[in-house]
Amino acid sequence: MILDEIINELRFALKGKKITNSCIGVAFTASLLSDGNLGISHTILDGENSMSGEIMGKEAEEVVEKLTSNPLERSVALSVLNAISVLPTFERGDPLDVMEGNKLCLFGYSPMVETNKFSSIIIYDFRNPETQNLGKVIVKPYSSLTSETCNTAVIFASALVAGYTESILKRISADHLILSGISSVYAPSTLRNYGFEYVSKVETVDKFRAFRTVCEGGSGRQLAKYIYKIYTKL
């Protein structure tokens, strides 16, 4: 699985780091590491956290290796991997700021982007709503995905948490492939092998408030006050 390969690639960066604190909020999960870095991922309330009550003080590598069995566990593991995913060079903003084309495909939990550079946008929503035709934007349930051809495809990293990434990659063809979102991780070798061209993630401007927002059940709108988007080309 792609997550196993990401863990193997980032294993060296995990060594020597411990979990100082971890919090599973209703929308997001956050982990603070002993080096002061904060990682955030999406919370998917599916499954049981086998290490609940035992995470604080554990080695980051041990936590990531053990918490891969279900989406709730992967919420924690991806928050830790996000914390060590430091982009060596990056641009502020979103890779879609510099891209254009005919068809843009998005995969995630009700994902939305602001761009006028594509003729049409199709959204495959993991929440599986009814199909909606909103002009040049079409929203479809993810369960309806059989195959899709896109100029650019954005897979939001909540797919890593949910365990959908491989299934999406098998069913789409895209000239440009982007891994994006709060749960995103920087594992360049693995992601290049799977065809990704860009990685987009978020950085925090206030780690303490971002962590507290997650723990106190904050929404994406509330968390947005303490984060900003960055991206890099692989």
Side-chain angles (χ1 to χ4, degrees):
M1 290 180 61
I2 186 172
L3 181 56
D4 295 327
E5 294 176 49
I6 288 171
I7 292 170
N8 284 334
E9 180 174 348
L10 299 181
R11 191 175 303 279
F12 181 78
L14 287 166
K15 290 187 181 299
K17 297 179 178 64
K18 293 188 176 183
I19 310 297
T20 302
N21 206 345
S22 186
C23 183
I24 299 176
V26 294
F28 304 103
T29 295
S31 292
L32 279 167
L33 304 189
S34 53
D35 61 1
N37 282 334
L38 171 68
I40 302 174
S41 70
H42 289 86
T43 296
I44 299 181
L45 296 172
D46 181 7
E48 181 179 84
N49 179 7
S50 60
M51 293 185 71
S52 61
E54 303 175 5
I55 292 176
M56 286 180 61
K58 290 286 189 183
E59 296 287 339
E61 184 178 7
E62 178 185 356
V63 170
V64 166
E65 286 185 334
K66 286 186 176 180
L67 297 184
T68 60
S69 298
N70 59 64
L72 183 60
E73 289 192 342
R74 291 193 292 269
S75 292
V76 179
L78 264 298
S79 71
V80 176
L81 293 171
N82 179 268
I84 63 167
S85 296
V86 179
L87 305 187
T89 60
F90 61 85
E91 300 287 338
R92 290 283 293 263
D94 190 297
L96 290 178
D97 296 339
V98 297
M99 305 185 79
E100 59 184 1
N102 181 38
K103 187 176 184 181
L104 172 65
C105 301
L106 307 176
F107 301 86
Y109 284 95
S110 304
M112 296 299 295
V113 296
E114 295 182 7
T115 178
N116 295 313
K117 296 181 178 181
F118 293 86
S119 302
S120 65
I121 299 174
I122 185 164
I123 298 172
Y124 284 94
D125 190 340
F126 296 161
R127 298 188 191 278
N128 288 312
E130 295 294 323
T131 298
Q132 303 172 62
N133 192 326
L134 308 172
K136 77 170 189 175
V137 179
I138 297 175
V139 180
K140 291 187 175 185
Y142 172 67
S143 58
S144 71
L145 176 65
T146 54
S147 64
E148 192 65 70
T149 300
C150 327
N151 292 111
T152 298
V154 180
I155 299 177
F156 285 85
S158 54
L160 289 171
V161 183
Y164 296 156
T165 314
E166 286 92 345
S167 178
I168 295 170
L169 292 172
K170 288 176 182 177
R171 289 168 169 79
I172 66 170
S173 173
D175 298 326
H176 306 286
L177 188 58
I178 300 168
L179 181 68
S180 185
I182 283 180
S183 306
S184 192
V185 296
Y186 181 68
S189 295
T190 300
L191 296 177
R192 276 195 296 265
N193 287 341
Y194 278 88
F196 287 94
E197 184 178 356
Y198 287 91
V199 172
S200 175
K201 63 190 299 285
V202 300
E203 286 290 305
T204 56
V205 293
D206 188 324
K207 290 184 175 65
F208 176 78
R209 289 187 179 275
F211 185 77
R212 291 312 316 163
T213 298
V214 170
C215 293
E216 293 165 11
S219 66
R221 177 184 58 80
Q222 292 169 308
L223 183 60
K225 295 184 290 186
Y226 309 115
I227 61 177
Y228 60 93
K229 293 181 180 180
I230 61 174
Y231 72 92
T232 190
K233 188 171 184 178
L234 295 172

